[in-house]
Amino acid sequence: MSHLQHRPFGTRGKVHDITPASAGWRHVGFALYRLRAGDSASAATGDNEVILVMVEGRARLRGAGRDWGELGARACVFEKTPPHCLYLPDGSDWSAVATTDCTIAVCAAPGAGGHPARRIGPEGIVPTRRGEGSNTRYINNIAMEAEDFCDSLLVTEVFTPAGNWSSYPPHRHDEDDFPRIIYLEETYYHRLRPAEGFGIQRVYTDDRLLDETMAVHDHDVVCVPRGHHPCAAPHGVEMYYLNVMAGPLRKWRFVAAPPLAHLM
């Protein structure tokens, strides 16, 4: 299995814990909790800002000294409805008590204390179609560049219909040359329907010094330190992924792979 691909530790509790140290980079962290009704989880944000994404199910959340009540609505991520999320600045504590079986993603990147804690969504998150034909996918932007309530995090959900490509044409964001391109590390948290299916993700550089093609399964995480990173959903398998990006500048600028740039 590729060193970029991470399988979950198990099926209950904290099943992913990707840090800058474990990923070999500087900015992005990603953790995932799969809780059963009545289970709890808690952590401190430390030097990071965090967005908690209620991927599935419901939980009562506390964070930054406030009780935010019960968050979450969709029982299955493939309902494709906008998620309930919570933004917490660096120096915060948070806790969750599951009121139903639930999946909570913890998206982290360096914070600078520039923004207060706040709820994100479902209001204000508008599902958006991107691409055409077999490149069609649907986006829930949680905290992209237009949403100015984070110091460094960029977070979005993508739903790819069966048989389609996504994060395509292949593109990269691995240089600091603003406004042409920005250096952004990125994680992909994958879900599939049916869960027993598989998807494909490739991560490669133009010189092929990095060139990995992975069969991704339900709840896998792929780290993208550099290079292009397209995904494909096979016939009969829907793909979801949650993207977390961060770098030295909170912008989203990329360049397409030269042979396919005309498809942008």
Side-chain angles (χ1 to χ4, degrees), residues 121-135:
E123 300 83 6
I125 298 177
V126 180
T128 305
R129 175 175 169 160
R130 185 179 296 166
E132 58 185 20
S134 61
N135 195 37

Side-chain angles (χ1 to χ4, degrees), residues 160-189:
T160 306
N164 282 17
W165 285 83
S166 199
S167 291
Y168 193 91
H171 62 274
R172 62 183 179 88
H173 36 72
D174 52 10
E175 295 180 62
D176 278 324
D177 186 21
F178 182 76
R180 182 180 70 92
I181 186 173
I182 287 293
Y183 171 81
L184 294 170
E185 302 155 358
E186 186 169 17
T187 56
Y188 277 68
Y189 164 56

Side-chain angles (χ1 to χ4, degrees), residues 4 11 14 16 21 57 65 75 95 113 121 139 151-152 187 224 245 247 253:
L4 302 178
T11 59
K14 192 176 190 178
H16 279 292
S95 62
I139 315 296
D151 296 321
S152 54
T187 56
V224 181
M245 294 179 281
R253 301 291 188 278

Side-chain angles (χ1 to χ4, degrees), residues 38-57:
D39 288 353
S40 61
S42 61
T45 66
D47 294 333
N48 289 324
E49 62 179 2
V50 162
I51 293 178
L52 304 178
V53 179
M54 295 301 303
V55 178
E56 289 176 329

Side-chain angles (χ1 to χ4, degrees), residues 83-157:
H84 293 220
C85 309
L86 180 63
Y87 172 82
L88 298 171
D90 48 302
S92 302
D93 295 322
W94 66 267
S95 62
V97 178
T99 53
T100 69
D101 291 359
C102 66
T103 301
I104 304 174
V106 185
C107 313
H115 299 275
R118 57 164 288 172
R119 287 187 59 167
I120 307 169
E123 300 83 6
I125 298 177
V126 180
T128 305
R129 175 175 169 160
R130 185 179 296 166
E132 58 185 20
S134 61
N135 195 37
T136 300
R137 63 271 199 204
Y138 300 89
I139 315 296
N140 282 336
N141 281 332
I142 295 170
M144 292 301 286
E145 186 178 340
E147 292 78 41
D148 186 22
F149 48 74
C150 298
D151 296 321
S152 54
L153 276 169
L154 297 163
V155 180
T156 193
E157 294 185 313

Side-chain angles (χ1 to χ4, degrees), residues 221-241:
V221 174
V222 172
C223 291
V224 181
R226 62 189 187 279
H228 309 285
H229 38 279
C231 299
H235 176 73
V237 180
E238 292 181 76
M239 173 183 282
Y240 160 95
Y241 51 81

